[in-house]
Amino acid sequence: MHERQSFFTTKQGVFTILIVILAILPLLMSDFQTNLLGRFLAFAILAVGLDLLWGYTGVLSLGHGIFFGFGAYITAIYITIESSGGGLPDFMMWSGMTELPWLWQLLSNPVAALSLAILVPMFVATLLGFFTFRNRIKGVYFTILTQALVLTMVTLIISQQQYTGGSDGLTNLQTIFGFSLSSPQTQLVLYFLTLIVLTVVFFSSLRLVNSRFGKVMVAIRDGENRLRFSGYNTAHFKTVVFTLSAGLAGLSGMLFVMQIGIVTPTMIDIIPSIEMALWVAIGGRGTLLGPVFGALLANTGSTYFSESFPEVWTYLMGLAFIIVIIYLPKGLMTIGDKLTKKRRGSHANQSAGKPTKL
Amino acid sequence: MPTSQQANLLNCEDITVQFGDFKALNHFSFELEHRELHFLIGPNGAGKTTFLDVLCGLTKVTKGNITFEKDKSIKDMPEYEIARNGIGRKFQAPSIFPRLSVKDNLELSMKQKKGIWDILRATLKNEDKERIDSQLETIGLTEEAMQEAGSLSHGQKQWLEIGMVMMQEPQVLLLDEPIAGMTEEEEEKTGDLLTKLREDCSIVVVEHDMDFVREYSERVTVMHEGALLSEGTMQEIQANDMVKEVYLGQGRVS
């Protein structure tokens, strides 16, 4: 294994090539396409965070839409205030509000808003993680809880129309720090900002999983009891990883909403939350690189199919998912292994993503 | 430390573990001395494994007291606290981290501060490497150090787990049927390993294989229906009528 491991076949190498390609692509694409790809890059940040939690630590969250949503909504609230130029946003006036609620006033400070877009999801995850993991709630029971969290939060957002815009969401997002969100220049800057954030997040995560902490994560996934009897308080470790993962989801939501210019409850509901786990599964759990590709390819695919075959695109996406799951149950990252295995005439293949219990 | 040598390392007084109406342990008392290799035998359902579970915190006692090192009461400690205090458990089925290398398995188990911040800042120091290397040698897995632990043979996995528990530098090592499923050669290696390990800690072994017990035991405790039946050397125990009766029904000791 060691003899011919050149840089370009390592995760760092492949990711670097990907980043270079993504940095060049805007030159070749329309403004619209660049903007679209920028949103997918934001999704990739979330996918990396979800992989830390699910792929490495074995804790499946189907509630990341909500952490993403906190980031997106808090950022959107700030942008809405800035776009309204000191006045009340339209939807508040229609709901009969006369002044900005205190929470909104707090979020009119950009530093507070952008920090809280990351800190609020982290706080919610810490709280949920602390009580569930400490009480040994795990596996499918934890996953169901995360789904319940999504339902609760989405219902809350829809019912509090005067504060959140209800099911219409926040739609009047025009300027951020004085720059027009609809201008291609602003969007190009946001594209590169997202690309840089993704790069930092990826390399930091890679460093984390290769450290002793990363080994503890894998040990929790494969033998939590053994680890507990080795002197680790595994509940604390799981809470920290869950919190970190939620923070990355918030960051992702923040960058996403700046690029799409709207946020609605449907973007953060149950279905998107499950799709997020699908990106990780399709790319390859426990690989970090796979989920990045998973997020980019799954979203590019659904965009392409929905434009080209508007009537049947959901079926085509479903078909693509099924094909990947059947032929590459451990995700796209195992393509390389499969090919070398074929060439060498089959050899015990044990690499990549142990099937984690759902 | 002459005084602490005299006191028992572990004292279990009159412990009872009840599941519904069933008493898995019934007023069971047990003492463990320093540097002792102590075997626990008894028919199936006698409560041997439950007793180990109690000692490592997996099962909580319904009644009774367990004191460790004179004054530490462990009956209400969470598992990880008990482990940090020096009681290490090796499970019956090999329980290792299959996707980590053999070396990494030992690295995680090693005695160290195991809080979040400690682990985040941890690096592999030279002295750590030496400790891991010498443990690898003791359990005979030096060549397999970089291999994924999941690819080891059954016997090697058992030794690895024993090595992992030893890395915690425990004062008490709890072993549940360590030679089950091993070849004769592996059994012998395991016996030698135990003899070596007891230079550093006390060992409690649950075992069904009477030849193995006869060969390596000093003191043996016989359990029956959750209670103490007899205690002594293997000769004394084999001469005991009550033990014979319990085992004859099962056709075990011969």
Side-chain angles (χ1 to χ4, degrees):
Chain A
M1 254 225 298
H2 287 286
E3 62 267 23
R4 277 198 349 175
Q5 186 78 314
S6 83
F7 176 72
F8 294 109
T9 58
T10 62
K11 280 182 190 171
Q12 290 93 330
V14 175
F15 185 79
T16 308
I17 295 170
L18 177 68
I19 290 300
V20 171
I21 293 172
L22 288 169
I24 296 170
L25 272 178
L27 292 173
L28 311 171
M29 296 191 302
S30 68
D31 293 338
F32 174 74
Q33 286 170 324
T34 304
N35 173 250
L36 211 54
L37 187 57
R39 294 178 212 165
F40 302 163
L41 292 177
F43 285 148
I45 296 171
L46 181 139
V48 168
L50 191 54
D51 194 30
L52 291 175
L53 181 67
W54 184 28
Y56 284 90
T57 320
V59 176
L60 174 57
S61 160
L62 288 180
H64 263 44
I66 234 46
F67 301 124
F68 176 83
F70 278 124
Y73 262 93
I74 291 172
T75 310
I77 288 174
Y78 167 71
I79 298 176
T80 304
I81 297 170
E82 193 193 304
S83 304
S84 317
L88 266 189
D90 291 344
F91 75 88
M92 282 194 182
M93 288 197 274
W94 297 330
S95 313
M97 306 271 285
T98 50
E99 62 173 18
L100 223 46
W102 67 269
L103 195 62
W104 276 64
Q105 282 177 8
L106 175 69
L107 295 178
S108 62
N109 177 327
V111 178
L114 297 187
S115 325
L116 287 173
I118 298 171
L119 292 177
V120 169
M122 290 178 88
F123 176 73
V124 174
T126 307
L127 214 62
L128 182 68
F130 181 78
F131 287 109
T132 50
F133 297 139
R134 198 181 61 156
N135 292 313
R136 308 269 164 94
I137 294 169
K138 55 188 209 177
V140 68
Y141 300 99
F142 175 80
T143 306
I144 290 170
L145 266 179
T146 58
Q147 287 258 285
L149 179 73
V150 176
L151 267 180
T152 320
M153 291 309 301
V154 169
T155 311
L156 197 67
I157 288 172
I158 293 176
S159 67
Q160 300 298 311
Q161 191 169 1
Q162 66 275 33
Y163 302 112
T164 62
S167 50
D168 295 336
L170 300 171
T171 52
N172 189 25
L173 311 188
Q174 288 164 352
T175 63
I176 182 158
F177 306 134
F179 297 101
S180 165
L181 280 174
S182 52
S183 98
Q185 283 79 19
T186 313
Q187 285 307 325
L188 194 63
V189 170
L190 286 172
Y191 176 90
F192 279 102
L193 176 68
T194 312
L195 192 61
I196 292 167
V197 172
L198 173 63
T199 308
V200 172
V201 166
F202 180 83
F203 281 108
S204 317
S205 301
L206 199 58
R207 218 181 132 185
L208 183 74
V209 299
N210 286 328
S211 72
R212 194 173 291 171
F213 191 93
K215 292 170 192 170
V216 170
M217 287 160 61
V218 172
I220 290 176
R221 181 190 72 192
D222 295 345
E224 188 176 353
N225 271 330
R226 174 66 269 171
L227 197 64
R228 210 180 279 133
F229 290 104
S230 301
Y232 289 86
N233 186 345
T234 55
H236 283 179
F237 281 87
K238 289 205 282 189
T239 307
V240 168
V241 178
F242 188 37
T243 302
L244 177 66
S245 181
L248 290 176
L251 181 62
S252 164
M254 180 206 285
L255 292 164
F256 175 79
V257 83
M258 290 175 183
Q259 298 182 77
I260 195 168
I262 178 176
V263 60
T264 67
T266 48
M267 292 176 183
I268 65 171
D269 208 344
I270 299 254
I271 304 274
S273 296
I274 294 174
E275 278 174 5
M276 290 165 187
L278 271 177
W279 305 335
V280 178
I282 286 170
R285 268 168 289 156
T287 60
L288 288 185
L289 194 55
V292 172
F293 279 105
L296 296 181
L297 292 178
N299 285 292
T300 309
S302 55
T303 306
Y304 170 77
F305 285 136
S306 63
E307 281 171 355
S308 312
F309 314 98
E311 285 92 26
V312 293
W313 76 275
T314 43
Y315 297 103
L316 291 175
M317 272 315 279
L319 196 66
F321 285 154
I322 291 170
I323 289 172
V324 172
I325 302 290
I326 289 177
Y327 290 100
L328 296 164
K330 290 167 184 172
L332 294 170
M333 285 300 287
T334 47
I335 285 183
D337 297 356
K338 283 232 161 164
L339 292 179
T340 37
K341 195 172 139 192
K342 275 225 171 94
R343 232 186 308 143
R344 286 195 197 138
S346 140
H347 207 80
N349 173 27
Q350 297 199 336
S351 49
K354 177 189 192 267
T356 331
K357 283 161 281 165
L358 206 141
Chain B
M1 289 180 292
T3 46
S4 72
Q5 285 292 8
Q6 282 156 14
N8 288 326
L9 180 58
L10 184 74
N11 265 317
C12 302
E13 289 164 47
D14 206 24
I15 52 179
T16 298
V17 171
Q18 199 158 351
F19 302 115
D21 286 338
F22 174 68
K23 285 184 176 164
L25 287 178
N26 195 359
H27 301 286
F28 180 68
S29 293
F30 181 86
E31 288 169 1
L32 187 70
E33 285 164 23
H34 287 265
R35 312 260 183 287
E36 182 190 6
L37 180 57
H38 197 132
F39 277 80
L40 275 182
I41 62 171
N44 286 329
K48 307 179 298 286
T49 298
T50 305
F51 179 56
L52 292 195
D53 290 347
V54 161
L55 290 184
C56 70
L58 185 62
T59 302
K60 299 290 169 207
V61 294
T62 317
K63 254 185 275 172
N65 264 318
I66 308 170
T67 43
F68 177 59
E69 290 181 312
K70 279 197 287 194
D71 55 350
K72 286 183 200 160
S73 172
I74 60 167
K75 69 171 184 176
D76 294 323
M77 279 187 194
E79 303 96 320
Y80 63 89
E81 281 289 343
I82 295 180
R84 287 177 192 178
N85 270 293
I87 298 183
R89 170 77 186 267
K90 150 90 189 69
F91 291 91
Q92 183 173 359
S95 169
I96 50 165
F97 310 122
R99 307 267 306 149
L100 295 176
S101 71
V102 168
K103 193 180 122 285
D104 288 345
N105 269 271
L106 294 176
E107 179 185 325
L108 285 188
S109 314
M110 179 170 65
K111 183 170 183 169
Q112 59 185 309
K113 286 192 177 160
K114 288 171 178 168
I116 307 265
W117 289 116
D118 308 305
I119 294 297
L120 269 176
R121 284 175 309 187
T123 51
L124 197 61
K125 293 187 275 297
N126 271 332
E127 55 192 89
D128 300 338
K129 280 186 195 151
E130 281 165 25
R131 270 168 77 189
I132 292 171
D133 285 344
S134 96
Q135 192 65 53
L136 283 168
E137 208 168 305
T138 311
I139 56 176
L141 292 177
T142 306
E143 274 175 34
E144 289 80 3
M146 302 309 290
Q147 226 168 287
E148 263 190 12
S151 68
L152 297 176
S153 72
H154 174 79
Q156 288 174 323
K157 282 179 188 164
Q158 297 284 44
W159 296 329
L160 173 58
E161 197 186 348
I162 293 176
M164 285 161 69
V165 180
M166 286 310 291
M167 287 300 283
Q168 296 167 220
E169 296 175 21
Q171 301 196 53
V172 180
L173 171 61
L174 308 172
L175 297 175
D176 200 350
E177 298 198 39
I179 62 162
M182 282 190 175
T183 63
E184 240 170 76
E185 193 188 340
E186 287 173 331
E187 283 181 13
E188 204 179 308
K189 267 186 163 175
T190 307
D192 295 343
L193 183 60
L194 293 190
T195 316
K196 201 152 144 197
L197 294 181
R198 68 159 289 233
E199 290 166 15
D200 300 316
C201 66
S202 301
I203 308 178
V204 182
V205 193
V206 166
E207 193 48 75
H208 275 302
D209 187 314
M210 288 308 149
D211 293 329
F212 188 77
V213 177
R214 203 169 293 123
E215 179 141 1
Y216 295 99
S217 67
E218 292 147 14
R219 213 144 60 103
V220 180
T221 293
V222 189
M223 294 179 74
H224 181 53
E225 293 178 347
L228 178 78
L229 189 68
S230 167
E231 195 180 301
T233 64
M234 197 58 181
Q235 281 95 335
E236 288 165 6
I237 284 188
Q238 276 173 307
N240 185 312
D241 287 337
M242 277 198 307
V243 176
K244 274 187 195 160
E245 198 176 310
V246 165
Y247 266 104
L248 277 177
Q250 310 261 330
R252 253 283 176 37
V253 169
S254 52

